[in-house]
Amino acid sequence: MPGAIGIGFPGKDAAGNHVSTPFDEQIDFFRRKLNLPTERWDDIVKSAHDRVFIVAGAANADLLNDLNGAIRKAKEEGRGLEAFRKDFNAIVLKHGWTGWTGEGSAAGQAWRTRVIYQTNMATSYAAGRWQQLKHPDLLKLRPYWRYVHADGVMHPRPLHVSWHGLVLPHDHPFWDTHFPPNGWGCHCRVTAVDAREYAAAQDEGRAEPPAGWDKLDPKTQAPVGIDKGFDYAPGASAARPLKEMVDDKLIKLDAPVGAKMYEALRPALKAERDAAYKSYLDEVLADPVKRGRTAVIGAIDPATLEWLAKKGIHPATAEITVQDGLIIGKKAARHQAAGDALSAAEWASLPALIDSPGQVLFDTKSGKLLYVAASGGAQAKLAVEFDYKMKKGHGETNMLVLAFRVLKDAITAGIKGGIYALVR
């Protein structure tokens, strides 16, 4: 019942910082996040934050895990900013973390810890509220949402103030981008209202978003009045499959960033990715017509990217994909003898090969990478080769161009003869 839904009431701690009573949906949302090492704050933006926890510059897994724990403790115990700052200082000393933005001055450290603390508190609160507001029992009674500007903000944003009292249906597209927080330090919130209150808002002319509400600011690429990266509804994508989120981000991120992201999330991704690839392969084998269907099967690892960079090769993205035409066409490689076409079981093993190859080789003639399976001994091994410049939608991808069986002796001879360079 709606009355049983827990709500964390916004307020302030003894130091005047905005806090809220922790509630189950807020805590559960944060607990489900996966740690993701990053270099910059905008490596991951918008709804991706529903699935991952980041602190810009925290690229060490143990460091990030401790920072996650400090934020989680602050939420679960309802501790304030000063308590988090003490934990932050201890974590920085423990890990010897240097070079982070704000380091070196009391003011800088105060600013950085406030940003980390308040942003995580505000977005997890908002995500918990989204889940509560979308509860079917509550929607039956209060299917409309009201935008509420926070009182007592020292420097209120004029547009946020203008949105105060706006009442719209819960499924209006306005909420997809304007569900608060709508920027750094924003303390606006949303409440549920009934049909009577919606009718009153209509009479007052506050039941339609203002003209131009969805116009993008060219500087931020977000709607006017919303800070860069805040134009999404926290929690709305929390149930989205992790693989789907990663695939969308992987092709857009610089290759080194994408490689680190994939490596960090790979254990959590495995089940979803394996199931998605199996479904893709079953569809292609059952419908052997070239339709341009693609699947992401893995990513180039950071060490291999570093090796390529030393040779002046910089793939646009880390993702590795396969297209149905290769599977259906059984394209012959120059190494491939008749009868070396892959079996369904071998096609199914591609993600495992990319994750844990026996060898990664560099073809000195073509400039392509060759991944070779670990097993096989003197028998035929599975090998795949991919091109860095294949087009996929809006960008370049590392598309498999060959898949074949190869003898161990042929690989050994190729390395000795300079045909292949051993990457790892």
Side-chain angles (χ1 to χ4, degrees):
M1 294 297 295
I5 298 174
I7 296 177
F9 295 98
K12 293 185 179 182
D13 62 17
N17 301 301
H18 287 263
V19 296
S20 62
T21 306
F23 54 104
D24 290 345
E25 293 87 350
Q26 176 185 12
I27 293 171
D28 289 345
F29 167 79
F30 192 81
R31 282 177 177 170
R32 289 194 297 268
K33 286 193 174 192
L34 299 167
N35 294 337
L36 179 61
T38 56
E39 297 292 343
R40 305 187 306 266
W41 75 267
D42 56 353
D43 284 343
I44 295 295
V45 295
K46 299 186 183 182
S47 60
H49 288 283
D50 283 353
R51 298 303 308 270
V52 297
F53 170 79
I54 73 167
V55 174
N60 176 282
D62 291 336
L63 165 65
L64 193 62
N65 187 61
D66 284 352
L67 290 170
N68 184 309
I71 291 290
R72 189 170 62 250
K73 184 167 68 172
K75 293 178 187 298
E76 293 175 355
E77 299 178 5
R79 305 162 80 238
L81 174 58
E82 292 308 317
F84 169 71
R85 280 177 171 152
K86 291 179 181 178
D87 289 342
F88 179 87
N89 293 339
I91 291 168
V92 168
L93 289 173
K94 173 184 174 182
H95 293 279
W97 187 26
T98 60
W100 46 276
T101 304
E103 181 186 16
S105 71
Q109 184 164 326
W111 167 80
R112 183 66 189 279
T113 50
R114 180 183 293 275
V115 167
I116 295 172
Y117 176 84
Q118 289 189 343
T119 301
N120 277 281
M121 288 296 174
T123 54
S124 64
Y125 172 84
R129 287 292 290 145
W130 177 276
Q131 185 177 344
Q132 291 177 337
L133 292 167
K134 284 289 188 178
H135 192 288
D137 289 342
L138 184 59
L139 287 177
K140 289 178 183 177
L141 298 178
R142 300 176 183 176
Y144 304 96
W145 291 355
R146 173 185 285 128
Y147 192 100
V148 180
H149 183 265
D151 293 331
V153 176
M154 186 175 297
H155 301 291
R157 293 169 167 90
L159 277 177
H160 294 199
V161 174
S162 73
W163 299 332
H164 179 74
L166 178 65
V167 178
L168 300 169
H170 72 92
D171 55 357
H172 192 286
F174 176 87
W175 302 117
D176 294 340
T177 51
H178 289 63
F179 194 93
N182 287 317
W184 305 103
C186 172
H187 300 293
C188 298
R189 56 194 176 92
V190 172
T191 60
V193 301
D194 57 23
R196 178 181 57 80
E197 291 173 282
Y198 177 60
Q202 287 179 309
D203 292 340
E204 296 169 3
R206 303 196 62 79
E208 289 290 339
W213 66 270
D214 53 353
K215 181 181 179 182
L216 298 184
D217 183 329
K219 293 183 179 179
T220 64
Q221 291 305 303
V224 176
I226 299 179
D227 291 352
K228 179 181 178 179
F230 282 83
D231 52 328
Y232 76 104
S237 298
R240 183 185 180 192
L242 183 63
K243 179 190 177 298
E244 184 180 312
M245 182 273 287
V246 170
D247 288 356
D248 283 352
K249 296 294 178 186
L250 196 55
I251 193 172
K252 300 173 186 175
L253 295 173
D254 291 341
V257 176
K260 289 180 180 179
M261 178 187 75
Y262 197 89
E263 188 172 66
L265 299 180
R266 186 167 58 188
L269 274 172
K270 187 178 187 311
E272 287 186 15
R273 186 204 56 195
D274 288 353
Y277 178 67
K278 182 181 183 302
S279 176
Y280 165 83
L281 186 59
D282 288 345
E283 177 187 335
V284 172
L285 294 177
D287 175 32
V289 178
K290 297 180 183 180
R291 303 185 187 280
R293 293 162 292 186
T294 62
V296 178
I297 59 172
I300 307 175
D301 62 282
T304 299
L305 280 174
E306 289 177 9
W307 191 95
L308 290 172
K310 291 177 182 178
K311 287 193 166 291
I313 299 173
H314 304 279
T317 176
E319 80 166 13
I320 301 174
T321 59
V322 63
Q323 195 169 59
D324 59 7
L326 180 62
I327 299 172
I328 296 164
K330 301 179 177 63
K331 185 175 180 180
R334 59 181 177 277
H335 324 273
Q336 185 174 327
D340 277 350
L342 304 189
S343 65
E346 287 170 327
W347 282 117
S349 70
L350 286 185
L353 168 58
I354 299 301
D355 276 358
S356 303
Q359 292 174 306
V360 177
L361 307 174
F362 178 76
D363 189 316
T364 57
K365 184 177 181 179
S366 69
K368 299 182 176 67
L369 285 178
L370 188 71
Y371 279 55
V372 185
S375 61
Q379 301 175 356
K381 296 185 177 184
L382 174 64
V384 296
E385 186 176 71
F386 55 84
D387 192 336
Y388 313 115
K389 298 294 183 182
M390 302 295 283
K391 295 293 183 180
K392 176 192 172 187
H394 53 268
E396 293 177 353
T397 185
N398 305 304
M399 185 80 73
L400 295 192
V401 292
L402 297 174
F404 54 95
R405 297 192 191 102
V406 61
L407 294 176
K408 178 181 179 181
D409 289 347
I411 292 292
T412 301
I415 294 173
K416 288 182 177 179
I419 297 173
Y420 301 124
L422 182 62
V423 178
R424 63 181 177 88

